[in-house]
Amino acid sequence: MKGSLQSQQQQQQQRRGERGVVPRRKLFSSLLIAAVVALGLLCFYYGTSFGPALRLRRRRRRDSASYDGADPVFHSFIGDSESTTPAFSTLPPNHVVKSFPVCDMRLSELIPCLDRNLLYQLKLKLNLSLMEHYERHCPVQPRRHNCLIPPPIGYRIPIRWPASRDEVWKANIPHTHLAAEKSDQRWMVVNGDKINFPGGGTHFHTGADKYIIHIAQMLKFSNDKLNNGGKIRTVFDVGCGVASFGAYLLPLNIIAMSLAPNDVHENQIQFALERGIPSTLGVLGTRRLLYPSRSFELVHCSRCRIDWLQRDGILLMELDRVLRPGGYFVYSSPEAYAPDAKNRRIWSAMSDLVRRMCWRIASKKNQTVIWVKPLTNGCYLRRDIGVLPPMCDPDDDPDEVWNVSMKACITPYSKRIHRAKGSELLPWPQRLTAPPPRLEEIGSSPEKFFEDHEIWHYRVTQYWKQMESEIEKDLFRNVMDMRANVGGFAASLTNKDVWVMNVVPAVESGKLKIIYDRGLIGTVHDWCESFSTYPRTYDLLHAWLLFSEIQKQGCSLEDLLIDMDRMLRPLGFAIIRDKVPVIEYIKRLLAALRWDDWSSEVEPKVDALSSGEERVLIVRKKFWEGSQIL
């Protein structure tokens, strides 16, 4: 009985204990929930202080330890590309971001929109025969590698121009397969710690300089000079290899846009840019080339291995679109001279096609044929009804190029061009400062053109004064103007031994034709996406009101900064002219970008191009390798 009573008492005490534990557990749970909510609110408010730091550490581990091409998913960690609010509103006042993650070394040559690993992961059904796999396919926001691209081991500051035309450091582009594959064509030769470029090519083994003279002689130009007294200034080199053709045009005051895909010769454009030669990645595939109509006086293809007859000759019609009235197509390929039956059939079909396009042979000798495009619409008007290829629809805009499919049609000239029997452009260098005839097409005037030219001349002079303590002769070679307007920045640099890639944002693409009419080169791009170039290819980037513009589009400022860092060489410079809040925001990211080797900020003089209160921030990127500053 006594034992039973003790047992009942113990059970009652246990039940009372359990009733006491329940409120304590509820209280603990409530406190825990409150703490989690408070911490969540704190992280939300100080998102980039705590949240990003955790994300950056996680991404750094994934980047440095486990990149296998299977899961390159890195979100933009400050700002949301889907948001319409300013991206920089997420940083607390006076907060400085201390670091961005460093990518795995296997990403040291990453081109985000030409990334083959991405194509494999997405399992895109691309038509290889149409070269769709060499066209741009950009990662969506969750798949972006938001990390700083490291230089390869042993990287050295590039050899300066003009010596770089003939030699580069092997460590900077540690790929020698082209030297072995093209040894008989004298593309490049490995020589100790350097790679030398003898100036050869697939169809000019004895040197591009002699080949260029040969072309001038075929066209009977005065003094065997291909520039023809300044009438030939802009050239398009298709399938350019390492761009030796373009390199040897430069002494003639001819500037070539040398283009090649990121194909089996995947580093050819990287070599070209390392040499300091104007060049870009691209392909004649399914989309229009990123150049306006009537951009080039001459197009060149030396054994470029392109099937010009495919899809009813659509690729030749794309060349026709970018050729100026009276422009030349220089074609050096077995189809032009080889006696075998296959090449004879190709030559016959190609000759018939270009005849229907109203091209005529200007000269044919040895291994090269040169066609010339008509000056007026006369030949087009005389063609029989129903002759193919057809003329393009009158509503088609031949200058609209961003993500626009090629069209198998011939672009006719405007009434003005037809009457003038040509482009009405002055020879180089007079055309640089003369108002181009197409100004009226973008709603501008000669008065505005001259004003723009004067403003940029003053601005560039001030930029160089701001940098004078840090720069020396021949420091810059490859320059990019990321929002080029009508080319005033580049025009003000013609007294320096540099070349400028003038980039016109897709929303302003009509302005690119003015840049080409001035004798300069450039391309169209949407800065909400990564630019198609190799890492470490530009010495100087210039961004005028670019960040304000992409902010309006709801795109990430950080993504753009990281892509600029990817393009910028170690010890390279960035000139950022923008509104005060944007500049203040960017300054808080400089340490994380490792752009704090040197910086200078000034309040510029207000001019007709100013947009409210602006600042000029000039920064220099550090030379680093891993965690070490060199």
Side-chain angles (χ1 to χ4, degrees):
M1 187 74 177
K2 183 178 179 181
S4 175
L5 180 61
Q6 287 177 341
S7 175
Q8 290 177 0
Q9 287 175 343
Q10 289 174 354
Q11 289 175 1
Q12 288 175 355
Q13 289 175 353
Q14 183 176 358
R15 283 194 294 270
R16 283 196 299 269
E18 288 174 352
R19 285 196 297 268
V21 167
V22 170
R24 286 198 297 272
R25 285 180 178 173
K26 288 184 177 179
L27 178 61
F28 177 78
S29 298
S30 299
L31 289 173
L32 181 61
I33 292 171
V36 170
V37 170
L39 182 60
L41 291 172
L42 189 64
C43 288
F44 177 79
Y45 182 74
Y46 293 104
T48 55
S49 295
F50 300 102
L54 295 173
R55 288 197 295 272
L56 294 184
R57 285 194 288 270
R58 181 172 68 250
R59 288 175 185 141
R60 185 178 293 112
R61 287 196 297 271
R62 291 167 66 180
D63 261 357
S64 60
S66 64
Y67 176 70
D68 59 2
D71 188 21
V73 183
F74 304 123
H75 296 265
S76 178
F77 37 81
I78 311 172
D80 180 359
S81 68
E82 301 299 323
S83 173
T84 56
T85 59
F88 50 80
S89 66
T90 59
L91 266 183
N94 303 318
H95 176 73
V96 175
V97 179
K98 294 182 179 179
S99 66
F100 286 156
V102 174
C103 300
D104 185 277
M105 185 60 71
R106 283 167 286 185
L107 295 175
S108 68
E109 294 178 352
L110 176 69
I111 311 166
C113 294
L114 296 173
D115 182 6
R116 293 176 187 173
N117 284 324
L118 178 68
L119 300 185
Y120 297 147
Q121 294 157 23
L122 298 180
K123 299 180 180 178
L124 299 178
K125 295 181 179 179
L126 303 174
N127 190 326
L128 304 188
S129 66
L130 302 184
M131 303 296 174
E132 287 183 329
H133 54 308
Y134 294 142
E135 295 182 324
R136 287 173 56 85
H137 301 281
C138 297
V140 295
Q141 188 78 356
R143 285 187 172 269
R144 292 181 181 176
H145 292 278
N146 284 333
C147 49
L148 304 182
I149 303 291
I153 296 171
Y155 181 88
R156 302 172 69 170
I157 297 301
I159 296 170
R160 292 184 181 178
W161 182 268
S164 64
R165 186 195 74 171
D166 301 325
E167 60 180 12
V168 302
W169 297 117
K170 184 173 68 174
N172 291 7
I173 309 177
H175 303 284
T176 58
H177 62 280
L178 272 179
E181 182 180 341
K182 303 290 185 179
S183 59
D184 60 326
Q185 300 168 12
R186 301 179 69 242
W187 278 33
M188 48 193 276
V189 177
V190 178
N191 185 12
D193 60 356
K194 292 179 181 178
I195 296 176
N196 297 119
F197 300 87
T202 306
H203 255 77
F204 42 90
H205 302 175
T206 58
D209 50 349
K210 298 180 181 64
Y211 174 65
I212 290 166
I213 291 173
H214 173 64
I215 295 171
Q217 291 172 340
M218 289 179 66
L219 292 170
K220 298 184 168 81
F221 287 166
S222 177
N223 299 317
D224 298 338
K225 300 288 187 183
L226 190 58
N227 61 18
N228 194 24
K231 294 178 183 177
I232 290 185
R233 165 63 182 173
T234 51
V235 167
F236 181 47
D237 189 14
V238 184
C240 65
V242 293
S244 289
F245 180 74
Y248 284 85
L249 289 175
L250 291 169
L252 299 169
N253 282 320
I254 297 173
I255 187 165
M257 178 66 83
S258 298
L259 177 135
N262 186 27
D263 61 5
V264 291
H265 304 142
E266 59 188 82
N267 300 99
Q268 51 194 338
I269 291 297
Q270 190 177 15
F271 280 117
L273 289 166
E274 185 76 8
R275 297 173 70 188
I277 303 168
S279 50
T280 190
L281 285 161
V283 68
L284 278 162
T286 65
R287 303 172 194 165
R288 277 180 171 172
L289 296 167
L290 297 178
Y291 320 115
S293 65
R294 310 196 305 273
S295 293
F296 303 100
E297 277 92 21
L298 185 146
V299 173
H300 173 252
C301 161
S302 173
R303 197 67 179 270
C304 53
R305 299 180 180 273
I306 293 174
D307 177 8
W308 297 108
L309 298 174
Q310 64 173 284
R311 291 174 284 159
D312 301 319
I314 193 171
L315 303 183
L316 273 178
M317 280 165 262
E318 179 63 4
L319 294 190
D320 182 87
R321 183 184 68 83
V322 300
L323 264 177
R324 298 198 196 276
Y328 299 100
F329 178 39
V330 179
Y331 186 55
S332 297
S333 186
E335 293 89 349
Y337 65 87
D340 60 282
K342 178 182 177 181
N343 280 307
R344 288 302 86 203
R345 285 194 301 270
I346 295 173
W347 171 254
S348 177
M350 196 169 173
S351 297
D352 179 61
L353 172 60
V354 297
R355 179 187 56 79
R356 287 182 276 116
M357 291 171 59
C358 292
W359 290 9
R360 62 176 179 82
I361 291 180
S363 183
K364 186 173 186 290
K365 188 175 182 180
N366 299 334
Q367 300 181 0
T368 302
V369 61
I370 304 176
W371 283 286
V372 61
K373 182 180 175 179
L375 286 166
T376 70
N377 289 328
C379 176
Y380 307 143
L381 297 172
R382 291 191 297 270
R383 296 194 318 162
D384 294 335
I385 295 174
V387 169
L388 298 177
M391 304 305 294
C392 293
D393 190 284
D395 294 331
D396 176 62
D397 182 356
D399 301 325
E400 187 179 352
V401 297
W402 184 251
N403 286 333
V404 175
S405 297
M406 289 183 187
K407 296 177 173 60
C409 59
I410 300 171
T411 303
Y413 299 130
S414 65
K415 292 180 179 179
R416 176 170 180 164
I417 294 292
H418 178 66
R419 286 194 302 267
K421 298 182 179 181
S423 296
E424 301 181 276
L425 297 176
L426 295 176
W428 177 266
Q430 291 92 324
R431 70 172 66 172
L432 179 69
T433 54
R438 291 197 276 186
L439 270 178
E440 60 183 23
E441 295 181 20
I442 64 168
S444 189
S445 66
E447 293 75 22
K448 291 181 180 178
F449 175 84
F450 287 126
E451 181 182 44
D452 181 272
H453 182 73
E454 291 300 319
I455 287 172
W456 280 109
H457 179 76
Y458 175 81
R459 285 185 174 189
V460 168
T461 300
Q462 297 307 116
Y463 290 162
W464 255 250
K465 287 181 180 179
Q466 194 173 341
M467 293 187 292
E468 63 184 356
S469 65
E470 289 294 308
I471 60 176
E472 52 194 83
K473 190 177 185 299
D474 300 326
L475 184 63
F476 300 134
R477 175 58 187 169
N478 300 352
V479 178
M480 178 185 287
D481 190 1
M482 301 175 70
R483 184 170 177 255
N485 197 36
V486 294
F489 175 80
S492 300
L493 292 176
T494 53
N495 63 334
K496 304 182 186 302
D497 210 356
V498 304
W499 70 273
V500 181
M501 177 68 80
N502 292 280
V503 183
V504 174
V507 294
E508 305 172 1
S509 60
K511 295 178 179 179
L512 188 57
K513 69 183 81 170
I514 306 303
I515 289 169
Y516 273 94
D517 286 355
R518 299 183 73 174
L520 306 170
I521 61 170
T523 188
V524 173
H525 185 62
D526 180 354
W527 285 111
C528 293
E529 299 177 0
S530 178
F531 191 82
S532 291
T533 193
Y534 285 90
R536 302 171 299 279
T537 46
Y538 285 90
D539 303 296
L540 173 64
L541 303 176
H542 174 247
W544 167 55
L545 292 176
L546 177 62
F547 289 89
S548 290
E549 289 302 314
I550 70 158
Q551 176 210 338
K552 291 177 184 176
Q553 300 174 43
C555 297
S556 167
L557 274 65
E558 294 75 20
D559 284 353
L560 177 56
L561 285 166
I562 289 172
D563 204 47
M564 289 173 67
D565 179 78
R566 184 183 65 87
M567 296 188 292
L568 199 58
R569 286 172 168 171
L571 299 183
F573 286 77
I575 302 174
I576 303 171
R577 181 175 181 136
D578 217 306
K579 297 176 181 178
V580 174
V582 173
I583 295 297
E584 290 299 319
Y585 180 73
I586 291 173
K587 284 163 59 179
R588 290 186 271 161
L589 301 172
L590 295 182
L593 289 164
R594 309 186 188 193
W595 286 9
D596 52 350
D597 185 76
W598 173 87
S599 66
S600 172
E601 180 184 358
V602 299
E603 180 179 354
K605 172 186 171 183
V606 176
D607 54 44
L609 296 178
S610 297
S611 175
E613 190 179 1
E614 297 178 3
R615 292 287 187 275
V616 175
L617 176 65
I618 304 181
V619 297
R620 191 173 198 184
K621 177 179 175 177
K622 286 180 175 176
F623 184 10
W624 56 271
E625 196 172 274
S627 60
Q628 183 180 3
I629 306 298
L630 303 177

